[in-house]
Amino acid sequence: MDLHFSGRVAIVTGASKGIGLAVTRTLLGEGASVVAVSRKTSPELAELGGDLLHVPVDLMDPEAPGQAVARAVEEFGGLDILVNNAGGPPPGVALPRFSFMAPADEDWRVMFEFNLFAVVRFVRAAIPPMLARGGGSIVNVSSGSARLPAPMNVDYSAAKAALNNVTKALSEEYAPQGIRVNTVSPGPVRTAWWTEEGGAADIIAGQAGADRDSVLDRLAPEMMNLSIPRLVDPQEVADAIALLASPRSAATTGADLAVDAGFLKQV
């Protein structure tokens, strides 16, 4: 299927690894020019070919989104697609937390700064150049946790629920002007959040008296009651994002697409 990305310019945040790397690779492979935004590059990102520009910024800096959008316009002449993928634990934070009482005020602040306010700033910066090109597509990466409140990671879930609300509001306001805005809501994805040293697999292993491989391969899918008994692959999320970003989804806005191995059970 031709996704009609040739000649289009995309920004992908959190592009150096995980879902963001898979999205960047996919869009490049489909012919888009991509501005890859992350604090630092990675060997996997650096080896990608095509029209790729890495912009090293920290999204905890309120000026970073505007700077990245300006670089996209300067380098490639405009902007058509924005994938707000960066999210999850803010820099220096380890998740999961297991209780409402665990995060303090500052923890809540940085969680919303990273998972909501950075997205708001990126969208604010992206809309003018998109309108100048006659429209565009914004895909915000949310989480199934936004629709399944629980004591674990309550601050993260609340930030993603707010992101879903903002996405709906944006879709209402800007659809008549040609900008579609949607969310993709992954379940547990086999990314560095889970697999890196000190990450979620190690934290859960310490709580459960298990080893990290058992958590990744068996305990986490069981604990999260996944219908497909494994963690999601980043490419599976990237494929859904690419379809929503594409003109092939021209009638889709305000939607939330779950790619979660059956994590959400609600109708």
Side-chain angles (χ1 to χ4, degrees):
M1 179 187 292
D2 182 1
L3 294 179
H4 303 302
F5 283 137
S6 179
R8 298 184 185 270
V9 180
I11 291 177
V12 180
T13 70
S16 63
K17 57 187 177 182
I19 295 170
L21 179 66
V23 172
T24 300
R25 183 185 296 115
T26 300
L27 296 184
L28 287 169
E30 293 290 335
S33 301
V34 180
V35 176
V37 175
S38 60
R39 286 185 297 155
K40 53 188 178 182
T41 190
S42 65
E44 295 82 4
L45 179 62
E47 70 184 13
L48 295 179
D51 289 330
L52 176 66
L53 172 68
H54 179 242
V55 177
V57 293
D58 184 349
L59 296 188
M60 300 299 282
D61 176 3
E63 303 299 321
Q67 293 168 357
V69 170
R71 289 294 309 280
V73 173
E74 176 186 357
E75 184 74 15
F76 296 120
L79 181 63
D80 305 289
I81 298 162
L82 171 63
V83 180
N84 282 306
N85 163 72
V93 174
L95 296 180
R97 301 185 181 107
F98 295 96
S99 167
F100 169 78
M101 298 300 288
D105 282 4
E106 180 63 10
D107 298 314
W108 280 86
R109 187 193 69 77
V110 298
M111 188 65 72
F112 271 70
E113 187 74 33
F114 192 49
N115 287 279
L116 179 64
F117 300 152
V119 173
V120 168
R121 293 175 185 127
F122 247 114
V123 172
R124 186 186 293 134
I127 283 174
M130 284 187 175
L131 291 176
R133 303 260 280 197
S137 177
I138 299 171
V139 182
N140 296 327
V141 178
S142 184
S143 169
S145 298
R147 294 163 54 195
L148 191 64
M152 182 182 289
N153 300 333
V154 61
D155 50 342
Y156 171 75
S157 299
K160 290 299 191 182
L163 177 61
N164 287 3
N165 189 292
V166 170
T167 299
K168 275 287 192 181
L170 288 166
S171 72
E172 284 290 307
E173 181 172 358
Y174 286 100
Q177 300 174 67
I179 298 177
R180 298 181 299 107
V181 193
N182 296 285
T183 54
V184 169
S185 289
V189 182
R190 200 172 182 115
T191 63
W193 179 352
W194 282 88
T195 61
E196 68 186 1
E197 186 175 351
D202 285 342
I203 293 171
I204 293 172
Q207 290 279 327
D211 62 85
R212 66 194 324 271
D213 288 338
S214 295
V215 170
L216 291 168
D217 296 335
R218 182 177 57 84
L219 291 180
E222 290 177 358
M223 178 180 70
M224 304 186 81
N225 194 25
L226 301 184
S227 303
I228 300 171
R230 61 170 175 82
L231 301 186
V232 178
D233 186 89
Q235 187 61 52
E236 294 168 326
V237 184
D239 290 342
I241 291 170
L243 181 59
L244 281 177
S246 165
R248 290 278 189 174
S249 297
T252 304
T253 194
D256 179 33
L257 179 57
V259 185
D260 64 359
F263 173 63
L264 285 172
K265 312 296 185 188
Q266 293 85 347
V267 175

